[in-house]
Amino acid sequence: MPLIASTVPLPDPARQLLAEVGVVRGPERWEESLGEAEALIPVLSKQVDAALLDRAPRLRIVACPTVGYDYVDLDACRERGIIVTHTPDVLTDATADLAWALLLATVRRLPQAEASLRGGEFQGWRFRDYLGGDITGATLGIFGMGRIGQAVARRAAPFGMRVQYTSRTRISDAEERALGAEWVEWETLLTTSDVLSLHAPLTPETRHLLDPNSLRRMKTGSYLINTARGALVDEAALVEVLRSGPLAGAGLDVYEHEPEVTPGLLELDNAVLLPHIGSATRGTRMNMAMLAARNIHRVLSGELPLTPVM
Ligand code: DGY
């Protein structure tokens, strides 16, 4: 039976499905199984590069249990004839929900207020305590109008936010109308959004999209929300604009050098920091594992995968 190396602990239904076509090893033993493995379920904290692939000469499929696949060297896989798959759609709503939770928590300063209460500082209702920003009537800027960007836009109307966006590809007029979203140039998005939320994949073009120069041009008093990939933002420069403006705050679920977080960020009172939990719901993680398992099942059975990257 083919060996399937998994860096992540798989739920029982995924293991059962995979047991029909192979033997699952991991997560403690995935690395020692690489030499024999015909399928790999990687994890985004470990690069799947040429050096790793050279240790896995029998590999036929790398089945990412994530929608993002920036941690996989696609060229190196292509050269070796290895199929790469990912998990689009199944995590869209969970990630959009989390982006909104983070947006609201950041603008209304929820973690700071809760920490204050737990610290015994709550003195009853006071007129000027715990003030945050305004949501209703504010402009939400979305960078990246793919599945997750659209799901975030769809949630904006009940909060009374106006939506504008910039994306690699413009969506159709009908889709724009349905979402109530207006296409704008990057410069407009950057300089006029009250909240800028990032939903683009990490590519050479988007790395440090928010560099020191663009961060300094963001609207005064605005907020940055990042649930996409940390390296879209120059994290050291972000610390500076959170310290001295123009940003009022940032909500981050992802970091440039995960699991490390730039120390300056940890000291800031206007940063809300989550440990990359965008897709972390029980149902979503089950669906992500099942889709990765289905892709492997098909490839090891000689069929085409359901959700190939290439
Ligand atoms: C992804 O799927 O790429 C997320 O970052 C993890 O849920």
Side-chain angles (χ1 to χ4, degrees):
M1 288 281 253
L3 266 186
I4 301 164
S6 178
T7 64
V8 300
L10 293 169
D12 286 343
R15 291 187 80 89
Q16 281 154 16
L17 182 67
L18 289 173
E20 292 174 12
V21 290
V23 176
V24 180
R25 287 279 164 75
E28 295 80 21
R29 299 176 59 198
W30 74 271
E31 203 151 4
E32 71 195 46
S33 316
L34 271 182
E36 293 300 309
E38 292 186 40
L40 170 67
I41 302 182
V43 65
L44 51 71
S45 49
K46 175 126 185 107
Q47 296 294 314
V48 180
D49 53 16
L52 186 138
L53 295 172
D54 284 345
R55 292 162 56 205
R58 303 185 61 180
L59 215 51
R60 292 161 62 189
I61 172 170
V62 172
C64 301
T66 53
V67 67
Y69 46 84
D70 46 278
Y71 53 101
V72 178
D73 182 335
L74 296 185
D75 289 337
C77 287
R78 202 175 288 118
E79 279 161 19
R80 292 162 177 78
I82 298 169
I83 291 170
V84 181
T85 62
H86 67 144
T87 60
D89 294 319
V90 294
L91 44 66
T92 298
D93 285 321
T95 309
D97 289 345
L98 193 277
W100 269 95
L102 189 52
L103 185 161
L104 295 168
T106 304
V107 176
R108 295 297 303 272
R109 300 174 51 79
L110 301 191
Q112 297 89 333
E114 205 225 20
S116 159
L117 180 141
R118 285 180 188 270
E121 292 163 18
F122 179 45
Q123 300 187 357
W125 190 87
R126 298 209 318 188
F127 201 68
R128 295 190 57 163
D129 280 359
Y130 306 121
L131 298 186
D134 294 297
I135 305 243
T136 304
T139 297
L140 171 62
I142 294 181
F143 182 82
M145 201 50 124
R147 298 177 192 86
I148 297 173
Q150 291 184 36
V152 169
R154 209 171 292 127
R155 287 155 171 74
F159 286 100
M161 287 189 90
R162 197 175 80 75
V163 179
Q164 58 184 13
Y165 79 100
T166 301
S167 200
R168 195 172 37 183
T169 13
R170 186 170 174 172
I171 57 175
S172 68
D173 288 353
E175 286 167 324
E176 283 183 1
R177 268 196 304 279
L179 292 172
E182 183 194 352
W183 164 271
V184 292
E185 295 296 334
W186 165 237
E187 184 62 20
T188 306
L189 193 85
L190 185 70
T191 56
T192 66
S193 298
D194 295 300
V195 179
L196 177 59
S197 192
L198 306 181
H199 300 287
L202 176 63
T203 65
E205 292 74 40
T206 60
R207 182 176 292 276
H208 281 196
L209 168 84
L210 290 169
D211 59 9
N213 179 30
S214 48
L215 281 166
R216 275 196 296 269
R217 283 185 293 121
M218 285 181 70
K219 185 174 177 181
T220 301
S222 65
Y223 297 85
L224 175 68
I225 305 297
N226 190 4
T227 53
R229 281 291 181 267
L232 297 183
V233 182
D234 180 330
E235 215 164 90
L238 177 63
V239 171
E240 286 315 306
V241 293
L242 283 170
R243 276 200 189 121
S244 45
L247 258 65
L252 307 178
D253 185 41
V254 288
Y255 303 89
E256 198 175 347
H257 307 290
E258 289 183 19
E260 267 128 62
V261 177
T262 298
L265 273 177
L266 296 168
E267 291 153 20
L268 288 169
D269 176 56
N270 55 352
V272 176
L273 308 172
L274 300 179
H276 203 149
I277 57 168
S279 63
T281 76
R282 283 183 285 276
T284 302
R285 286 289 159 82
M286 173 65 83
N287 292 336
M288 292 160 80
M290 286 306 289
L291 185 49
R294 282 195 191 102
N295 278 321
I296 292 176
H297 192 283
R298 288 176 71 100
V299 169
L300 295 188
S301 310
E303 292 170 66
L304 291 174
L306 295 169
T307 50
V309 165
M310 55 175 202

